[in-house]
Amino acid sequence: MNNHQGFSFVETILTVSILFLLFGTLLPMANQMMFNLAEKKVALHVAIAKNQAATLIKNGQLSGEIFLDNVSYSWQWTDPTMCVRYVFLGESTESCETF
């Protein structure tokens, strides 16, 4: 409802509250989606590192380091177990699998 002086105070408060409600629900959801995608990307990189490590193990190498997206994934093979170490969000993490 326009009047000759512009928008009324009630319309302004209603518009601002709708914007706060809209962004207050969308931004946390978008942030959570981005975090989930980052976790899945790291899990994919760990799987790629394990796949490349398996090829190198066949050639006789027992440990190594692979860089994917400027992140170091170091792997080590001890007979039944392969472990991949990496840093995700400033926290050192290890993913081990037994074969």
Side-chain angles (χ1 to χ4, degrees):
M1 295 204 271
N2 285 353
N3 58 18
H4 298 341
Q5 290 85 24
F7 292 101
S8 70
F9 180 70
V10 175
E11 290 172 330
T12 304
I13 294 298
L14 182 63
T15 302
V16 168
S17 64
I18 289 172
L19 288 174
F20 275 131
L21 181 66
L22 184 67
F23 287 110
T25 57
L26 290 180
L27 288 178
M29 187 171 61
N31 189 26
Q32 182 64 31
M33 285 173 44
M34 288 174 53
F35 180 74
N36 287 341
L37 285 173
E39 279 184 329
K40 290 181 188 300
K41 183 179 179 183
V42 167
L44 174 68
H45 285 172
V46 168
I48 290 171
K50 286 179 181 179
N51 185 23
Q52 290 180 1
T55 304
L56 294 172
I57 289 169
K58 286 181 183 178
N59 295 333
Q61 196 171 349
L62 297 179
S63 65
E65 190 171 21
I66 298 168
F67 286 93
L68 298 169
D69 285 346
N70 296 326
V71 178
S72 169
Y73 295 89
S74 61
W75 59 272
Q76 184 173 6
W77 169 257
T78 54
D79 192 11
T81 306
M82 179 189 300
C83 292
V84 176
R85 291 179 189 84
Y86 58 95
V87 176
F88 179 63
L89 295 177
E91 195 174 305
S92 183
T93 310
E94 184 175 56
S95 171
C96 294
E97 266 187 72
T98 303
F99 295 97

